Structures are given as C-alpha cells and as structure tokens.
Amino acid sequence: MLTPPRHSWFIYLLFSIAVQRCIAQHSFKLPMNRVQRGKVNAFGNAFSSLAPVSQVKEFAYTVNITIGAETLEHIVDTGSSDLASDDLLILPLPPHFHCHYSLVPSHDPFKLNYLSGSVSGDINFETVTIGSYEVSHQVFALANKTENLGLSTTGNSGIMGLCFAPSASIPPTTGNTLMDNLFSSLPEDKRYFAIKLGRDSVHDSSSSLTFGEVDADYARSIDDFAFTPVSKDGATDYNFWKIPLRSLTVDAATLDLSPSLVPGAKSPIAVLDTGTTLVLGPTIDVDAFWGMAGPSGSARKNPISGLWEVHCNRSIAAGFVLGDKGAEKEYFVHPRDLSWIDGGQANGWCLGGIQANDGVNSGDWLLGDTFLRNVYTIHHGATSTEPPKIGLLNLTDPSKADSEFRAERGIESSSPLPNALPVHNRLMQAASDSITSYIASSICGFMGGAVLTTLFRARALVMAKGRRV
Ligand SMILES: *[C@@H]1O[C@H](CO)[C@@H](O)[C@H](O)[C@H]1NC(C)=O
Ligand SMILES: *[C@@H]1O[C@H](CO)[C@@H](O)[C@H](O)[C@H]1NC(C)=O
Ligand SMILES: *[C@@H]1O[C@H](CO)[C@@H](O)[C@H](O)[C@H]1NC(C)=O
Ligand SMILES: *[C@@H]1O[C@H](CO)[C@@H](O)[C@H](O)[C@H]1NC(C)=O
C-alpha cells in the first residue's frame, strides 16, 4: 500500500501533464519600467555611513508578470535563473481546493542568495502569464522572507531570472526555468529576447524587452547585431550570459586587462547582468581604469569607502571591447554612466560607474546597468545547430554623448578637463591598497543581482566563493 501522500501524488500527476501551453505562438513586447529600489537597503545604509557621497539611488528594470490571478512587477535579472515572487496574496489552500486553484505548494523550502540579499520561502507551481504566453505549470519560488532586496518598498514584488538553468536554485528535476519554457515555445530563429535599458526617466518609454522579435525603435533586424557565442569557460555547461572582454579604452588609448581567473579562459570573462547596477571588475584593472580616466586628480578612491569617485564635470570617453579575438568590437559608454549622478554626489564628486569587486565568481567582470544602457542586447538560446549567443548593438555615439554630458553638467566646451593618460605602473599601484579595496568589495557586493550561492548546490559553491582559482 505505497500510496504517496495526497499532496505528492497531486504534484506527480501535474508533472505528467504539465506541458507548457501557449496562448499564441508569436513574439511579443513587454512594457518595462525603470523604478527606484527601496531606500532601505543594505547598500544605501552601508554606503551613506561610510562615504561622503550619499543619497545613492539604485534603479531596477521591471515588467509585469501574472502569477495565478495576480499581476506583479518583477525585476528583470539576466544574472540569475529563478522566478521568485514576494507578497503574493494567495493564501495556502487546503489540498481539495487545488483542482480549482492551480497554485501547488511543494513544501520544499528554498533560499536564493543574490549579490544584494536573499529570498527564502517555498517552491510552488502556478500558471504564469507573460506577454502573450501562458505557462500552465511554472515552477517558482514564493518568498515569505526577503532580506535587503528592497523589493516590497518599491512595489516590485519579485525577480524574473532570465539566465541558464545550471544557475537556477530550483533544481531542473522540479521544473524548468521560465526562460527555458519560453524559449522552447519559440521557433529556433526567434529563440531570443532583446533588452534595451533606458537611462533617462523613472517611468521610461526608452526601455524595451521583447521575446522573439527586435524593437524597431532600436534595430531594423537581428542582422544589425554583432554576435558572440556564450562562453562556457569555468563551467561544464552554459551558466551565465558571458562573453570575452578583451580590453577597456579611455580616450582611444587601450587598457589591457589582467589575465582571467576563470579556469580555461583565454581572455577575461564578462557576465551581462541587468540585475546589477554598476560595472564590477577586478581591483587591479578598475584602479588602472580610473588612473587613466581621472588624470590631474579628477578621480579619487574615497579613503573611507574605498569607492572610486570622479568629478561630476569630468566627461570620460571610455569603451568596452567585447567579443572573440578577431571579431571584437568597441562599445562606448555614455559619460553619464561613468560619472554616476544617481549614485549621489557630494562637493562636486560623483560615484564612479565602474567599481572594484574581487568577489565576483561567475566571471571576471559583471557588466551591470551602467554598461548595458549603452547597448541593445539579444540573448539567443541554443538551437539544434548553434550554441547560445549574445548579440550586441552599439547605441552610444561618443561625440554626441560628450555634448549631452557637457550641456547637462554645465561644462563650457572651451574649458575641457585634460585628456586621460595611459598608466604604465598599474601593477604596483593596485597592490598598494588592500584594505580599502576590501571595504569596496563588501559594499559593492550589496549592489547586484547575480546569484552567488544557492542552497541546492550549497557547500561546494559557498566554499568556492572568494577562493576562486
Ligand atoms: C504594471 O501594472 C500596473 C497596474 O496596471 C501599472 O501601474 C504598472 O505601470 C505596470 N508596470 C509595468 C512595468 O508595466
Ligand atoms: C517561510 O517558509 C519556510 C519554508 O517553508 C517556513 O519554514 C517558515 O516558517 C515560513 N515563514 C513564515 C514567516 O511564514
Ligand atoms: C570642475 O569642478 C571643479 C570642482 O568643482 C572645478 O574646480 C573646475 O573648475 C570644474 N571644471 C570645469 C571644466 O568646469
Ligand atoms: C555603431 O558602430 C558603427 C561602426 O561599427 C558606427 O558606424 C555607428 O555610428 C555606431 N553607432 C552609434 C550610435 O554610435
């Protein structure tokens, strides 16, 4: 008489019939908002007590997803893989109601750790509607406790992870990720989503998220993009949206980067992550960057916070060179993203849009929103003939961006700050200040969205964190 408990039996039955159902087999565009994250978050608190630069405003990009009967705003996070929702007004129902209400609690606990905090609760299944797609039995994490994510204070009530299944906390045996469910219903040539992050206003029509199509406001077709296969370096399978970062540039001078710490990688590996606010990279390279970008004292490492700050009137012409050797391309970054006025300013100093963090273990660099606002990005899933790939289209014209920046900050074009100078002794320079860089790492560590560790793959990863070899 080995009858499974009523509950498990119900879940097994659902598994056997839980094939994703789509209302329509076509592409769609989702309205995306740029909203300020909750004021009470770990970064804000830690930062304001340590640094003279205060009033950090962190923004997140959100879309509406309907889970069961409720529509909630979810942060779009290409640096994690789970769907996690908070504040669902769905009460636990007695088992006999489950035929009418599709929410199926598994009573499996979970905990997701993001760079910026954590979420814990139960794993559940529910009908999820996103754009014109309905997924009938989507697994998701129903949070009953969030720490430091600042979700509910802003009204956005969840995180929509759009990264590969191996980075998910919810095991694949329990259910497919939302991304895999959406990809599997799109024809191979449309198996992608495209993201453009807006810069300007809080409720912003210049942000865009589309599935299976490109937004005609930013590209004519998929052929406009430069594609790079996703890197598998350091992992047995595709885990993050990562591609080679070959160098940075400042005023057309190249800054060569230190060798990758990702096993097997021939070049530093950059992870694209919409859930992280800033660009984070190895201390040695980030210090060298600001050495070049902030001549004549126009950039400084704040002695208390260890964070790089730059004169709010310094227009930096910098670029990221991304892609495989021989097919690399430079993507310019708007000076507003490097002299980050939303990050707060004090006495004419703005927080730098690139900061040091040696604790990133998904790659060498995390390219967060301060980079991603400058490109239109396609995240293409694997097809029967091709591995997953990332397509980038440059959106920032450096000379136009420079004039916009000067107009906005009230800088007279006749009195520019001096040009950047290449720094040659950067190895010595970077070794000098391990204590402040440690502080910077711990502060920047609160800022992001990439999953660092998970309960389900607990020990090995937790141990590996910070001990990357
Ligand atoms: C989500 O829906 C609410 C209510 O209709 C609306 O106010 C909000 O702007 C929507 N957010 C997005 C990102 O579409
Ligand atoms: C949250 O969920 C966990 C896992 O099911 C449970 O142990 C805990 O009691 C719940 N906490 C609250 C406040 O409901
Ligand atoms: C930039 O700001 C600094 C300090 O606020 C000031 O001394 C300098 O004159 C400014 N430079 C320009 C070009 O506006
Ligand atoms: C993007 O790069 C191409 C060259 O590869 C250039 O012709 C084009 O003007 C750039 N777009 C912008 C917006 O700067």
Side-chain angles (χ1 to χ4, degrees):
M1 292 296 291
L2 288 174
T3 321
R6 188 188 177 102
H7 215 78
S8 330
W9 173 83
F10 188 73
I11 291 169
Y12 298 144
L13 176 70
L14 272 176
F15 266 142
S16 56
I17 56 167
V19 184
Q20 179 202 323
R21 183 165 54 90
C22 297
I23 301 170
Q25 282 279 347
H26 56 68
S27 56
F28 61 92
K29 177 173 177 175
L30 281 181
M32 182 156 67
N33 279 347
R34 176 175 181 258
V35 299
Q36 195 177 336
R37 284 200 191 187
K39 287 201 172 64
V40 187
N41 64 40
F43 175 77
N45 294 342
F47 192 74
S48 52
S49 63
L50 280 167
V53 178
S54 59
Q55 295 147 356
V56 175
K57 284 195 205 132
E58 265 199 277
F59 290 89
Y61 295 85
T62 61
V63 294
N64 276 333
I65 300 182
T66 304
I67 298 182
E70 262 207 277
T71 300
L72 298 164
E73 278 196 54
H74 284 69
I75 294 177
V76 177
D77 185 11
T78 58
S80 69
S81 306
D82 299 284
L83 176 63
S85 300
D86 186 17
D87 294 345
L88 271 188
L89 299 172
I90 301 172
L91 300 170
L93 294 162
H96 59 273
F97 276 115
H98 283 142
C99 304
H100 304 289
Y101 297 87
S102 57
L103 180 74
V104 183
S106 70
H107 295 305
D108 286 336
F110 76 91
K111 183 166 190 214
L112 313 180
N113 292 306
Y114 298 87
L115 260 178
S116 51
S118 68
V119 176
S120 54
D122 285 326
I123 292 171
N124 290 269
F125 303 86
E126 186 42 293
T127 301
V128 169
T129 309
I130 170 168
S132 55
Y133 279 77
E134 180 181 284
V135 183
S136 62
H137 191 61
Q138 176 64 51
V139 69
F140 74 106
L142 178 55
N144 63 4
K145 187 164 184 280
T146 58
E147 278 165 15
N148 295 333
L149 289 173
L151 297 182
S152 40
T153 43
T154 59
N156 45 81
S157 294
I159 295 175
M160 176 175 68
L162 288 176
C163 198
F164 298 97
S167 300
S169 293
I170 299 173
T173 46
T174 305
N176 288 335
T177 62
L178 181 61
M179 184 180 90
D180 281 350
N181 280 332
L182 289 169
F183 276 176
S184 68
S185 64
L186 288 161
E188 289 203 339
D189 62 332
K190 296 186 170 180
R191 188 168 291 164
Y192 65 85
F193 60 91
I195 297 189
K196 153 78 167 66
L197 300 181
R199 183 183 292 111
D200 296 321
S201 59
V202 170
H203 289 280
D204 185 359
S205 59
S206 67
S207 294
S208 170
L209 174 61
T210 54
F211 284 81
E213 66 184 36
V214 295
D215 188 331
D217 286 351
Y218 305 106
R220 282 162 303 178
S221 80
I222 192 165
D223 300 330
D224 290 351
F225 293 74
F227 281 96
T228 305
V230 173
S231 162
K232 229 182 349 187
D233 288 334
T236 51
D237 203 352
Y238 300 102
N239 57 354
F240 292 98
W241 291 105
K242 55 193 193 188
I243 51 173
L245 172 63
R246 312 210 67 87
S247 59
L248 302 189
T249 62
V250 180
D251 286 336
T254 296
L255 169 67
D256 292 323
L257 303 175
S258 57
S260 178
L261 295 179
V262 175
K266 292 198 185 70
S267 143
I269 297 295
V271 177
L272 273 49
D273 181 2
T274 56
T276 290
T277 303
L278 301 177
V279 169
L280 304 177
T283 302
I284 188 169
D285 298 315
V286 170
D287 286 0
F289 171 82
W290 286 110
M292 276 172 83
S296 314
S298 59
R300 66 175 188 191
K301 193 184 252 189
N302 185 296
I304 303 163
S305 66
L307 298 176
W308 280 100
E309 297 167 0
V310 57
H311 264 305
C312 299
N313 60 10
R314 165 103 180 98
S315 178
I316 301 165
F320 285 68
V321 180
L322 288 154
D324 284 330
K325 193 168 188 184
E328 61 266 58
K329 190 167 157 47
E330 181 174 11
Y331 298 89
F332 290 101
V333 176
H334 202 295
R336 283 153 89 186
D337 292 318
L338 295 167
S339 169
W340 191 53
I341 214 155
D342 282 339
Q345 55 147 326
N347 305 323
W349 290 95
C350 281
L351 191 65
I354 299 180
Q355 298 290 346
N357 188 318
D358 296 312
V360 175
N361 68 357
S362 43
D364 300 289
W365 289 76
L366 268 190
L367 303 189
D369 303 343
T370 49
F371 170 77
L372 293 172
R373 284 195 279 265
N374 298 281
V375 286
Y376 188 27
T377 310
I378 283 185
H379 299 75
H380 206 302
T383 67
S384 51
T385 53
E386 268 194 302
K389 57 186 181 181
I390 290 172
L392 293 174
L393 174 61
N394 56 320
L395 296 177
T396 298
D397 175 310
S399 63
K400 192 164 163 250
D402 180 65
S403 345
E404 282 169 7
F405 182 84
R406 287 169 188 278
E408 175 192 288
R409 305 275 165 106
I411 305 164
E412 287 169 32
S413 52
S414 57
S415 59
L417 286 169
N419 278 347
L421 296 168
V423 175
H424 296 296
N425 62 340
R426 62 196 189 87
L427 292 173
M428 284 150 59
Q429 189 193 24
S432 70
D433 206 322
S434 56
I435 293 172
T436 53
S437 66
Y438 169 75
I439 297 171
S441 301
S442 44
I443 294 172
C444 292
F446 288 119
M447 296 199 67
V451 174
L452 283 183
T453 63
T454 74
L455 198 68
F456 288 102
R457 44 192 80 224
R459 292 248 173 252
L461 255 174
V462 172
M463 313 256 304
K465 185 183 161 189
R467 187 173 60 79
R468 187 179 53 173
V469 282

